[in-house]
Amino acid sequence: QLQLQESGPGLVKPSETLSLTCTVSGGPISTSSCYWGWIRQPPGKGLEWIGTVYYTGTTFYNPSLKSRVTISVDTSKNQFSLKLRSMTAVDTAVYYCVRHPYDTGGPFDYWGQGTLVTVSS
Amino acid sequence: EIVMTQSPATLSVSPGEGATLSCRASQSVSSNLAWYKHKPGQAPRLLIYGASTRATDIPARFSGSGSGTEFTLSISSLQSEDFAVYYCQHYSNWPLTFGGGTKVEIK
């Protein structure tokens, strides 16, 4: 059974960079059939796709966040990571890592449990 | 960017009754449309993909329909576990976008 688990700090100071890692277990990240992505949900708001990476390193980003986001993959550790720079209070959210099929681009069929990231000094 | 619009924002339903949720895309997404159920403290769960195909282990009381720009999620005979927020999402092209959600609450 495929499982995804987010890890990283729960508190980030304004202007700093958020770094989150998603560890994939139960299957290889270096599969040609899947993309790996990040989604977030600010408190009281809806879901927002942040970006997606393929095992080759090819990335796709939400245009609204593209200037601040880097998503990368480490196939040797079966992990992929999110970096979001210049964090502000509006970036406070639950961050989920997800899997979605390569052939269609979606939908998001496996989700991590989510990790709450708060931006505060 | 394709904008997904869901209606209504909130739907009050009695247990055992049915519910119909709507999702509209600002341009055609063909059948590249998914529905998710999201309960507080849990990760969203995929219900429907390809506009009408139930995901693994999803009960038959959930059904999806539509194509192009207009989509519907129908839930027959709501159970206690069905009261949640439901999101639609397109995967027709990049960027992937979600609707704002419909909260199904107990009447």
Side-chain angles (χ1 to χ4, degrees):
Chain A
Q1 174 76 354
L2 192 76
Q3 291 186 318
L4 288 73
Q5 178 67 57
E6 305 89 352
S7 59
L11 182 64
V12 177
K13 290 182 169 56
S15 81
E16 292 190 341
T17 296
L18 169 67
S19 293
L20 293 178
T21 297
C22 183
T23 300
V24 178
S25 58
I29 201 170
S30 56
T31 172
S32 60
S33 63
C34 298
Y35 285 120
W36 308 93
W38 291 93
I39 289 168
R40 70 180 183 179
Q41 183 179 36
K45 296 190 176 182
L47 300 168
E48 180 181 38
W49 171 72
I50 299 170
T52 285
V53 66
Y54 193 49
Y55 80 99
T56 58
T58 298
T59 52
F60 304 89
Y61 296 131
N62 188 322
S64 68
L65 296 168
K66 186 175 183 178
S67 64
R68 298 194 291 130
V69 172
T70 301
I71 297 176
S72 58
V73 62
D74 186 335
T75 56
S76 67
K77 295 181 179 179
N78 229 40
Q79 295 175 335
F80 61 105
S81 300
L82 167 70
K83 290 189 186 300
L84 183 59
R85 296 174 291 278
S86 303
M87 294 280 282
T88 69
V90 299
D91 296 310
T92 293
V94 176
Y95 286 76
Y96 297 98
C97 59
V98 295
R99 184 193 89 159
H100 52 129
Y102 173 78
D103 57 348
T104 60
F108 304 110
D109 54 3
Y110 284 89
W111 295 66
Q113 65 184 27
T115 186
L116 174 62
V117 176
T118 301
V119 182
S120 176
S121 56
Chain B
E1 172 177 321
I2 297 175
V3 177
M4 308 300 293
T5 303
Q6 291 186 242
S7 61
T10 303
L11 192 58
S12 297
V13 183
S14 298
E17 291 185 342
T20 300
L21 289 65
S22 296
C23 174
R24 174 178 293 176
S26 61
Q27 64 189 76
S28 176
V29 299
S30 186
S31 294
N32 298 310
L33 190 285
W35 289 94
Y36 302 85
K37 178 173 81 170
H38 193 194
K39 302 199 76 168
Q42 299 179 14
R45 183 177 184 184
L46 176 65
L47 296 174
I48 301 285
Y49 63 94
S52 61
T53 302
R54 279 189 301 276
T56 303
D57 294 332
I58 300 303
R61 65 180 181 273
F62 291 92
S63 63
S65 63
S67 67
T69 62
E70 300 284 343
F71 301 89
T72 298
L73 174 69
S74 297
I75 313 171
S76 64
S77 187
L78 267 89
Q79 309 296 302
S80 58
E81 62 267 29
D82 299 334
F83 292 96
V85 179
Y86 292 83
Y87 294 95
C88 63
Q89 175 241 332
H90 89 84
Y91 47 96
S92 179
N93 54 25
W94 308 99
L96 311 178
T97 55
F98 290 89
T102 291
K103 181 180 182 180
V104 178
E105 64 177 24
I106 299 175
K107 186 174 182 181

